[in-house]
Amino acid sequence: MPPFWAAPPLTNHSRSGELEFVLLGFAHVPSLRPMLAVLFLAAFLLTLLGNTLIVLLTSLDPGLRVPMYLFLRQLALVEICFSLDVAPRLLVTLLRPGRGMYPTSCALQLLLVLSCVTTECLLLTVMAWDRFLAICRPLHYGTIMSLRLCHLLATTCWLAGIPVSLVFTIWLFNFPYCGSRGIRHYLCDIAPLLSLVCADTRVFEASVFVATVLIMIIPVCLIVMSYTRILAAVLQMPSASGRHKALSTCASHLIVVILFYGTTGVIHLRPKSSYSPESKQVVSLSYTMVTPMFNPLIYSLRNKEVKAALVRVFIQRRGTFTP
């Protein structure tokens, strides 16, 4: 009997455009698939609901039309795109195991995953810089963070990931694939696809490492520098209430940064690391399903302005439709 990750083999060597891939996510726990499908469906719906609510609140409430919430809206949009790219295919994999997917579909999913990860990395860095300016340069904040600059930064974050994602997706799918066509993951990602390639991928892996350092490690360093300066400025504040308010505005963002970078770094810094495919699936869930679901909760439950805006918007809407 073949192992659980086996899939119908390819004949000789085949290009990726001539075969169907099969996602084998959670094939090692077949009895848990129905329960996992229910849990992931609930997480998917909560993610869409929570992030859509953030987008609506920051768009409709005048009190949230400031740079911090403009970037928060962009982050919520990224999480919605991320979830729409990953969750439906994950549910199909759990409910209809063994169903193939065309290489173009796999490549598109990989392209969107890489683009969303890159955009989120840059957005989190911009949000940290925004908090640094607001707390450490309050007198110049309004002048520096103009509406035009905010829109320019947001647009740059969205567009920056596209060329990098295109290069690595096209490069990866031009390798020859042989052997099993089963991807031991619930999504098309670099690491599980590399395990199917029957060619020398050392240059590709080195390029992925360099890109990861540029896109993830450098932003992390900038975020750490920003929060170091913020902490130093907060500790010098004479008022305890001022210190508490300054730290509370940064705490939510810092939690999201730790959740996101702590898991994506493990996966993308070493795509052919010694971690088992099953371990990588669990780690990947942290930034593909868990973080997008918790982001709205983290920002809303810890943020009095968001909770107040929620009340204002619903009262306003109820008053509008009351005869």
Side-chain angles (χ1 to χ4, degrees):
M1 182 177 178
F4 67 82
W5 61 82
L10 306 177
T11 57
N12 300 323
H13 288 236
S14 175
R15 305 302 293 185
S16 60
E18 300 170 358
L19 59 104
E20 281 191 356
F21 292 112
V22 177
L23 292 174
L24 302 173
F26 302 101
H28 59 295
V29 284
S31 60
L32 296 179
R33 280 183 163 184
M35 183 184 70
L36 290 174
V38 173
L39 291 175
F40 293 148
L41 176 60
F44 176 51
L45 295 177
L46 286 173
T47 299
L48 292 183
L49 177 63
N51 285 287
T52 301
L53 187 61
I54 292 291
V55 172
L56 290 175
L57 285 177
T58 54
S59 300
L60 296 175
D61 189 77
L64 299 184
R65 291 174 187 171
V66 294
M68 182 174 75
Y69 294 109
L70 184 148
F71 296 129
L72 177 58
R73 179 164 69 246
Q74 303 306 313
L75 182 64
L77 289 171
V78 171
E79 303 294 24
I80 290 172
C81 293
F82 211 165
S83 298
L84 289 173
D85 181 39
V86 173
R89 177 62 63 177
L90 170 58
L91 294 174
V92 170
T93 300
L94 290 171
L95 297 175
R96 299 188 63 182
R99 183 175 181 179
M101 70 184 302
Y102 290 110
T104 50
S105 300
C106 188
L108 180 60
Q109 185 181 54
L110 176 62
L111 174 68
L112 292 175
V113 166
L114 295 179
S115 296
C116 288
V117 168
T118 304
T119 299
E120 186 156 350
C121 287
L122 298 177
L123 269 176
L124 291 174
T125 308
V126 170
M127 292 171 75
W129 183 62
D130 172 72
R131 291 300 83 209
F132 163 74
L133 290 176
I135 295 172
C136 300
R137 301 287 187 272
L139 298 179
H140 303 285
Y141 178 72
T143 305
I144 298 174
M145 293 300 291
S146 63
L147 186 60
R148 180 180 179 183
L149 179 61
C150 291
H151 287 146
L152 179 62
L153 289 171
T155 303
T156 302
C157 290
W158 278 98
L159 297 180
I162 296 176
V164 178
S165 306
L166 272 174
V167 168
F168 284 113
T169 301
I170 294 172
W171 191 354
L172 181 56
F173 277 83
N174 271 294
F175 281 120
Y177 290 79
C178 56
S180 170
R181 60 186 173 90
I183 300 174
R184 294 174 65 182
H185 210 301
Y186 60 84
L187 58 84
C188 291
D189 205 355
I190 290 177
L193 285 168
L194 274 178
S195 65
L196 305 180
V197 173
C198 47
D200 187 353
T201 60
R202 284 177 294 180
V203 176
F204 178 83
E205 291 177 60
S207 301
V208 170
F209 180 82
V210 171
T212 303
V213 168
L214 292 174
I215 294 170
M216 294 187 62
I217 304 304
I218 292 178
V220 165
C221 293
L222 294 174
I223 291 172
V224 170
M225 289 172 58
S226 297
Y227 276 101
T228 302
R229 298 285 299 275
I230 288 172
L231 183 60
V234 168
L235 292 177
Q236 294 177 0
M237 292 181 177
S239 169
S241 60
R243 289 196 298 269
H244 180 268
K245 182 178 180 181
L247 289 175
S248 65
T249 60
C250 300
S252 301
H253 180 249
L254 199 55
I255 292 172
V256 172
V257 167
I258 293 171
L259 284 173
F260 180 75
Y261 281 104
T263 52
T264 52
V266 172
I267 297 297
H268 293 286
L269 276 175
R270 296 181 61 197
K272 272 193 173 180
S273 62
S274 58
Y275 299 111
S276 68
E278 290 70 41
S279 300
K280 289 183 177 179
Q281 289 181 55
V282 175
V283 174
S284 297
L285 282 174
S286 299
Y287 71 90
T288 58
M289 296 292 293
V290 177
T291 303
M293 178 181 66
F294 279 119
N295 276 0
L297 296 176
I298 292 170
Y299 280 108
S300 60
L301 292 179
R302 296 185 59 87
N303 193 310
K304 294 180 180 179
E305 292 178 344
V306 173
K307 289 188 283 187
L310 182 63
V311 173
R312 286 195 299 268
V313 168
F314 273 98
I315 291 176
Q316 179 181 349
R317 293 303 174 199
R318 186 175 63 181
T320 302
F321 292 104
T322 301

